Amino acid sequence: MKFIFSFILYICFCPVLVLAGNSITAHPASQIVGQNYRFTILTPSLIRMEWSADGSFMNEATLAFINRNLETPKFRAIDSKKKLIIQTEKLTLTYLKGEKFNSNNLSVSFMLEGKMKIWKPGMLDEENLKGTMRTLDRLEGWHEDKLEEGIISRNGWALVDDSKSPVLVDDTQWTHWVKENTRKDVYDWYFFGYGHDYKQALFDFTHIAGKIPMPPKFAFGYWWSRYWQYSDDELKNLVSTIKSLDIPLDVVIIDMDWHKTFGLSYRNKVYDAAGELKGWTGYSWDNNLFPDPCNLLEWMKKNHIKTSLNLHPASGIMPYEDVYDKFALSMGWDTVGRKFIPFDMDNKKWADVYFREVIHPLEKQGIDFWWLDWQQFPYSKSIKGLSNTFWLNHVFFNNMKKKREKRPLLFHRWGGLGNHRYQIGFSGDAYITWNSLRFQPFFTSTASNVGYGYWSHDIGGHFFQKGDPKVTDPELYLRWIQYGVFSPILRTHSTKDINIERRIWKFPEQFEMMRSAIQLRYQLTLYIYNAARKAYDTGISICRPMYYEYPENELAYTSKNQYFFGDDIIVAPIVAPSDKTSGLSVQSVWLPKGNWFEMSTGSLIKGGEMKTRNFLHDEIPYYARAGSIIPMLPNNVRNLQSDCDTLCLFFTPGDNGTLNYYEDDGVTDSYANEFTTTHIAKKINRVENKLNIKIDARKGNFAGMNPTRSYLLRFPLCFPADSICINGVSITYNRFISPGNWTYDGSNLELTILTEELACDKEVNLEIHFAHEQMQQEQLLFNKVKLFKRLVPVTEQFKYIVTSYDSMRNLSESFLSISQTHSHISASPFKIISILKNFELNLEQAKNEILNFEHAEKAKLNQIVNLLSD
């Protein structure tokens, strides 16, 4: 009997595994090898288990797993003639030697919620928390059952069978190239035994399957996309209109009509030599629509717009393509008879010529990234088991990585486990229904269970369901946009249908709300970008289920349509129509223990249970953790490609808090090692009636970083200050904000400070003093912002009711007084306490004035008053 001991390396701030190098092969000290078996202890909770009839084992990468060379964890192996026992800190594996793996000779035991659990081959993982699926094409409603298995489970274990996966071999040009997996009679399993430590499972998964790369910063802005036969002038006019209406925009996608389509029609289908619809695949600009593509693309660039084209590569290269002769010459293809050149992307020479003669020339014209809309035959015709979707994503992404100075970006369909390495997914053609919208928040957050954190949906839905009225529902589109604000990528889209409208200015009643939602997205970009860095570092995606944070709380599993958006925000999107009479949407949301700030209503709410809240159309249910510091952009930013020298910090009320603010150049791949962090802390001192903000000197560096910046500091649910000092120097109140002073907004009960430009490499200290009376009466601020906002429509509605009865009659002075409370505070912020007390005294009187108006329907009056209910 013999014992094998190895040791793990720990990092001081958390027990994370450290990569030992770039080689795919696991360190020999991590392996236990027998005649027909090999066990590789990758982490204390992750073991690769192999059995081979001929005793040979594979060390190459596969589509899913590209690195096994982790630091060897601590373990003990008890190896006898008939039995092998491997013990780590988390798992005990027992194998009776000889036969291939089965339920009689292999088991893994571990602790889960204080009880011993045992896994054996063949067990069903009935509580797997799922991953994602290839597409939502033509799906409507809830389809949890269609999701693929993920790597985490409430059972505490998950198993990935990698036995038949195609193999990846090292390649200098493509990082890896593919070859067929010809092994027979083998088992190649990965056992994830993480219990309910879901975060650690994902961290370790992205170390063996590859990190989640950061998209360039512009990708988190608004994308315009529509399947429509645009001309270059139409696209220019569209972009100009969007900008003229003060709608932020960063990306325009030109769908497949950018290339020649030869009268493509669903009614009169014509097929090409490859058996696909003629015109579905194409690489030659349609010069009737785009006489000078370079001119258009240069115009887009000057207007800070990134441009993407849609590709369906399945038909290969047809003889009518502009690139056909060059492609054929480079391939040594006989052009006699002008036969088409079939798609053959897993042929290295074909791929090399494809990118050199087809893709690179289009990129040189000004195409920034590609939309790979693969919908044809799912698997390679030459390499068994190779997903065409996966392989296209791999070669396109790695070609961009090798050939460009800019950070690669790819927009594509899901190709299977490991596809998280290629960023942004296209979820497909969902039906335009409330049920489709209802499924998407769950679908998106659950995909994080396989590291696929960047789903992009057709915001608004793709097409109508058969039999549905062909009318764009403005409320559904509004709620879909509001959800899109809190999804990884915000991209409106639809099919080619004259009854579907995606131009938000075509909805006069909802336009302001839709635009405000898109502007909110831009304000939150810095928070989102910080979350993208965390996804790269930890494997924890931006949108993630509640059970990552609360794995032992049943509500974390049953609250399926809410999710964490980054570390500090919970979102519960409205996914059902509002009450037609009141205009209110009733929403249930589980808020965990602690205080949470309802951002759209300005309400501080105590968590620990399910809450039932109501929301108007312009209100979005999202909640920031009390004390959290949210990095934001100012509201005047309209694209993410221009430098902004002002950092906005939103200090969520209710508690102390800290933030490590992350920055990089937003453009190149150097972010792995070139970035900065700035530590920011908020501390409340109730004894001395003050608030301290400390912004540490920035650490790190990257090319092009600004040496100075201004800070826009926002303090909601806060009284006006008695005094404010920045680095010991007093600043003064000003009715209108300008650098070096502070102001107060009565609508949001928000104190705002705008500093002068300050050096980023120097510490900044702010000290805000409040009157003792204010600190003792903070409850006066609570639940007021929501009432201020709702009194605006309430007052308008009541005026109409009263005037319709008596055109000379006015509302009472007390009613008008409370309806303008926010304006009174903004005009006289230092009288805020008396103004708020007056508001509380007169609010009930105003409600009674409405309810007791005898010349209107009681039901209507009750509805108005309900708007003022909490």
Side-chain angles (χ1 to χ4, degrees):
M1 188 177 292
K2 58 184 179 180
F3 296 84
I4 301 173
F5 293 91
S6 299
F7 297 90
I8 190 170
L9 177 64
Y10 284 85
I11 294 178
C12 61
F13 56 84
C14 61
V16 297
L17 296 168
V18 179
L19 292 178
N22 295 321
S23 171
I24 176 63
T25 307
H27 194 282
S30 301
Q31 303 178 33
I32 299 176
V33 186
Q35 183 176 355
N36 296 97
Y37 63 84
R38 179 170 71 172
F39 296 98
T40 305
I41 301 87
L42 294 166
T43 79
S45 298
L46 176 57
I47 298 178
R48 184 189 188 195
M49 306 183 293
E50 298 172 272
W51 187 91
S52 169
D54 63 7
S56 63
F57 304 102
M58 188 184 73
N59 292 321
E60 292 93 346
T62 62
L63 297 187
F65 301 113
I66 62 172
N67 176 66
R68 304 184 195 96
N69 188 18
L70 308 185
E71 192 77 14
T72 302
K74 181 181 178 181
F75 70 91
R76 183 174 76 156
I78 305 171
D79 194 355
S80 66
K81 185 175 181 180
K82 294 184 178 181
K83 182 189 293 187
L84 172 65
I85 300 174
I86 300 172
Q87 296 175 329
T88 74
E89 296 175 19
K90 301 292 184 180
L91 307 174
T92 298
L93 180 150
T94 303
Y95 174 54
L96 303 179
K97 298 178 181 180
E99 298 295 324
K100 63 179 64 177
F101 297 155
N102 61 68
S103 60
N104 295 318
N105 68 8
L106 179 65
S107 66
V108 180
S109 61
F110 57 94
M111 299 299 294
L112 180 67
E113 296 180 306
K115 297 180 181 179
M116 179 69 71
K117 298 288 182 179
I118 298 177
W119 167 87
K120 293 183 178 182
M123 290 179 62
L124 295 178
D125 185 6
E126 295 178 341
E127 292 193 274
N128 191 281
L129 292 166
K130 302 297 184 178
T132 193
M133 62 181 174
R134 184 175 180 275
T135 182
L136 296 178
D137 281 352
R138 299 186 181 277
L139 291 182
E140 194 267 351
W142 197 270
H143 291 283
E144 186 175 353
D145 60 314
K146 294 183 181 295
L147 299 181
E148 299 168 12
E149 300 277 283
I151 63 162
I152 59 176
S153 170
R154 293 190 75 177
N155 284 323
W157 64 268
L159 188 74
V160 176
D161 185 350
D162 203 39
S163 306
K164 298 180 180 180
S165 177
V167 177
L168 296 176
V169 294
D170 288 344
D171 186 273
T172 55
Q173 180 177 352
W174 305 96
T175 306
H176 295 102
W177 196 257
V178 68
K179 72 174 184 179
E180 189 167 329
N181 184 345
T182 58
R183 298 182 301 163
K184 296 180 179 179
D185 204 10
V186 299
Y187 293 155
D188 191 350
W189 297 345
Y190 289 78
F191 182 84
F192 290 78
Y194 286 84
H196 291 166
D197 193 353
Y198 305 138
K199 290 183 176 181
Q200 189 64 43
L202 288 163
F203 177 87
D204 292 349
F205 170 70
T206 53
H207 274 73
I208 63 171
K211 290 194 172 189
I212 306 170
M214 291 185 69
K217 187 176 286 185
F218 74 79
F220 295 110
Y222 173 42
W223 296 23
W224 173 269
S225 178
R226 187 189 180 193
Y227 180 29
W228 193 255
Q229 198 173 36
Y230 286 112
S231 69
D232 55 0
D233 282 343
E234 287 174 318
L235 284 171
K236 289 178 182 179
N237 289 336
L238 175 72
V239 170
S240 296
T241 299
I242 290 172
K243 288 179 172 290
S244 72
L245 293 170
D246 208 22
I247 303 167
L249 180 68
D250 268 278
V251 175
V252 167
I253 292 184
I254 311 176
D255 211 316
M256 58 176 290
D257 286 308
W258 70 271
H259 61 72
K260 297 173 184 176
T261 55
F262 306 98
L264 184 67
S265 168
Y266 282 122
R267 293 182 180 274
N268 300 296
K269 295 181 179 180
V270 177
Y271 294 91
D272 61 25
E276 306 292 341
L277 286 173
K278 185 177 182 181
W280 195 249
T281 298
Y283 301 101
S284 306
W285 285 97
D286 186 337
N287 295 123
N288 290 316
L289 298 172
F290 303 96
D292 189 348
C294 293
N295 175 275
L296 170 66
L297 297 174
E298 181 63 24
W299 185 91
M300 290 286 190
K301 181 179 179 182
K302 288 180 178 178
N303 282 275
H304 304 288
I305 302 297
K306 299 294 184 181
T307 309
S308 175
L309 299 181
N310 175 284
L311 290 181
H312 301 118
S315 290
I317 309 299
M318 290 291 164
Y320 46 71
E321 298 288 358
D322 296 344
V323 296
Y324 178 81
D325 289 316
K326 284 187 177 180
F327 195 102
L329 180 64
S330 295
M331 283 294 294
W333 187 267
D334 186 356
T335 60
V336 175
R338 309 291 289 178
K339 293 183 179 180
F340 85 102
I341 305 172
F343 175 84
D344 194 15
M345 189 62 78
D346 46 55
N347 177 319
K348 193 185 294 189
K349 181 179 179 181
W350 197 98
D352 181 64
V353 173
Y354 178 82
F355 281 93
R356 185 175 68 248
E357 302 294 352
V358 181
I359 298 302
H360 292 164
L362 289 166
E363 290 176 343
K364 287 178 181 178
Q365 289 179 347
I367 300 305
D368 294 289
F369 66 100
W370 298 96
W371 175 11
L372 295 180
D373 191 11
W374 182 270
Q375 299 163 306
Q376 291 72 41
F377 47 99
Y379 292 101
S380 165
K381 296 177 180 179
S382 56
I383 295 182
K384 185 178 180 181
L386 176 63
S387 161
N388 279 316
T389 304
F390 191 108
W391 191 240
L392 272 167
N393 298 340
H394 175 86
V395 293
F396 264 83
F397 188 86
N398 282 288
N399 184 263
M400 286 186 281
K401 195 170 185 177
K402 294 283 185 179
K403 299 296 184 183
R404 293 191 187 185
E405 296 178 359
K406 300 294 179 68
R407 193 178 305 179
L409 177 67
L410 194 62
F411 180 38
H412 58 82
R413 290 178 180 263
W414 164 255
L417 199 64
N419 226 179
H420 66 277
R421 299 193 295 269
Y422 317 120
Q423 300 163 327
I424 297 173
F426 166 53
S427 66
D429 304 342
Y431 285 115
I432 303 172
T433 65
W434 285 99
N435 280 333
S436 288
L437 172 58
R438 186 172 69 93
F439 183 54
Q440 287 188 4
F442 170 80
F443 175 80
T444 305
S445 61
T446 303
S448 64
N449 292 344
V450 287
Y452 204 57
Y454 292 111
W455 270 122
S456 171
H457 303 297
D458 287 1
I459 297 299
H462 188 75
F463 46 30
F464 295 115
Q465 220 173 2
K466 188 175 181 180
D468 285 352
K470 291 194 171 185
V471 178
T472 300
D473 179 348
E475 184 187 3
L476 175 57
Y477 188 31
L478 169 65
R479 291 304 192 189
W480 222 315
I481 288 174
Q482 291 173 344
Y483 161 62
V485 171
F486 296 96
S487 65
I489 302 297
L490 174 57
R491 176 186 57 87
T492 54
H493 187 69
S494 76
T495 191
K496 194 182 292 185
D497 187 326
I498 61 172
N499 297 299
I500 301 175
E501 185 56 76
R502 292 291 173 258
R503 295 169 292 181
I504 65 174
W505 55 95
K506 296 295 184 179
F507 303 94
E509 292 185 18
Q510 293 79 20
F511 170 66
E512 292 288 349
M513 292 181 275
M514 292 174 174
R515 180 174 63 180
S516 293
I518 297 172
Q519 290 173 348
L520 173 61
R521 170 69 177 205
Y522 275 73
Q523 288 181 273
L524 289 170
T525 299
L526 299 186
Y527 174 81
I528 294 168
Y529 199 67
N530 273 240
R533 177 68 199 206
K534 179 159 188 177
Y536 172 78
D537 287 334
T538 68
I540 310 299
S541 297
I542 296 171
C543 299
R544 76 289 288 259
M546 301 294 292
Y547 47 74
Y548 284 20
E549 298 293 335
Y550 306 96
E552 309 309 333
N553 193 316
E554 186 64 26
L555 286 172
Y557 299 91
T558 57
S559 303
K560 293 185 176 184
N561 240 4
Q562 64 179 74
Y563 54 94
F564 268 97
F565 187 69
D567 290 341
D568 294 313
I569 292 177
I570 291 173
V571 186
I574 300 292
V575 293
S578 62
D579 179 82
K580 296 302 181 185
T581 305
S582 68
L584 288 170
S585 294
V586 178
Q587 180 76 324
S588 295
V589 59
W590 171 54
L591 295 177
K593 287 184 179 180
N595 290 322
W596 297 87
F597 186 62
E598 193 171 68
M599 296 281 277
S600 64
T601 68
S603 303
L604 194 62
I605 302 173
K606 184 177 181 180
E609 61 185 4
M610 294 293 297
K611 301 287 183 179
T612 300
R613 308 286 291 169
N614 59 63
F615 298 90
L616 290 173
H617 287 168
D618 64 342
E619 296 169 346
I620 309 171
Y622 72 109
Y623 301 82
R625 194 190 303 273
S628 59
I629 304 172
I630 310 295
M632 303 176 81
L633 285 172
N635 195 33
N636 60 355
V637 170
R638 294 298 173 260
N639 71 77
L640 301 178
Q641 298 160 56
S642 304
D643 286 339
C644 178
D645 58 4
T646 301
L647 171 60
C648 178
L649 297 170
F650 185 93
F651 293 88
T652 308
D655 208 343
N656 298 327
T658 61
L659 166 70
N660 283 313
Y661 173 59
Y662 169 83
E663 296 173 277
D664 61 38
D665 64 25
V667 175
T668 73
D669 242 354
S670 61
Y671 68 86
N673 302 304
E674 297 179 15
F675 58 88
T676 65
T677 57
T678 304
H679 185 264
I680 301 163
K682 164 194 167 187
K683 187 175 182 181
I684 304 170
N685 187 330
R686 298 190 178 280
V687 175
E688 298 182 17
N689 303 318
K690 68 179 182 180
L691 185 62
N692 290 99
I693 305 298
K694 182 182 179 184
I695 304 173
D696 289 346
R698 182 173 61 189
K699 295 180 180 180
N701 61 80
F702 60 86
M705 63 184 188
N706 291 330
T708 62
R709 64 170 156 234
S710 301
Y711 294 93
L712 182 67
L713 311 174
R714 297 175 57 190
F715 299 89
L717 281 199
C718 181
F719 282 110
D722 218 26
S723 65
I724 299 177
C725 291
I726 300 177
N727 293 333
V729 179
S730 294
I731 63 171
T732 58
Y733 165 80
N734 195 317
R735 180 70 176 85
F736 301 101
I737 194 70
S738 61
N741 60 43
W742 65 275
T743 192
Y744 194 82
D745 175 19
S747 297
N748 297 303
L749 299 178
E750 182 172 295
L751 185 155
T752 303
I753 302 169
L754 178 60
T755 73
E756 304 276 2
E757 283 199 18
L758 301 172
C760 296
D761 61 354
K762 304 293 183 183
E763 183 180 295
V764 179
N765 286 282
L766 289 92
E767 190 167 279
I768 307 172
H769 282 266
F770 300 94
H772 178 73
E773 181 188 16
Q774 292 175 343
M775 296 294 279
Q776 301 303 309
Q777 300 193 56
E778 284 183 302
Q779 73 281 354
L780 279 174
L781 300 171
F782 296 166
N783 299 318
K784 297 297 192 302
V785 173
K786 177 179 179 179
L787 293 172
F788 293 170
K789 290 179 177 178
R790 292 194 176 184
L791 271 165
V792 175
V794 164
T795 302
E796 182 179 27
Q797 289 181 51
F798 193 41
K799 282 181 181 178
Y800 277 117
I801 290 173
V802 170
T803 306
S804 65
Y805 167 71
D806 182 348
S807 62
M808 289 289 290
R809 184 167 175 173
N810 291 326
L811 305 188
S812 69
E813 289 188 10
S814 61
F815 191 106
L816 293 175
S817 174
I818 68 161
S819 72
Q820 292 298 306
T821 297
H822 61 287
S823 296
H824 293 310
I825 294 173
S826 293
S828 304
F830 300 104
K831 297 179 180 179
I832 186 171
I833 289 181
S834 62
I835 295 172
L836 288 176
K837 287 181 176 179
N838 182 68
F839 175 84
E840 290 189 342
L841 286 172
N842 290 325
L843 180 61
E844 289 304 315
Q845 182 178 334
K847 289 181 182 179
N848 289 330
E849 185 175 336
I850 296 172
L851 292 173
N852 294 329
F853 188 71
E854 298 178 354
H855 308 289
E857 295 180 11
K858 291 297 180 184
K860 180 64 175 177
L861 297 174
N862 282 324
Q863 290 162 15
I864 297 175
V865 171
N866 284 341
L867 291 176
L868 303 179
S869 302
D870 185 57

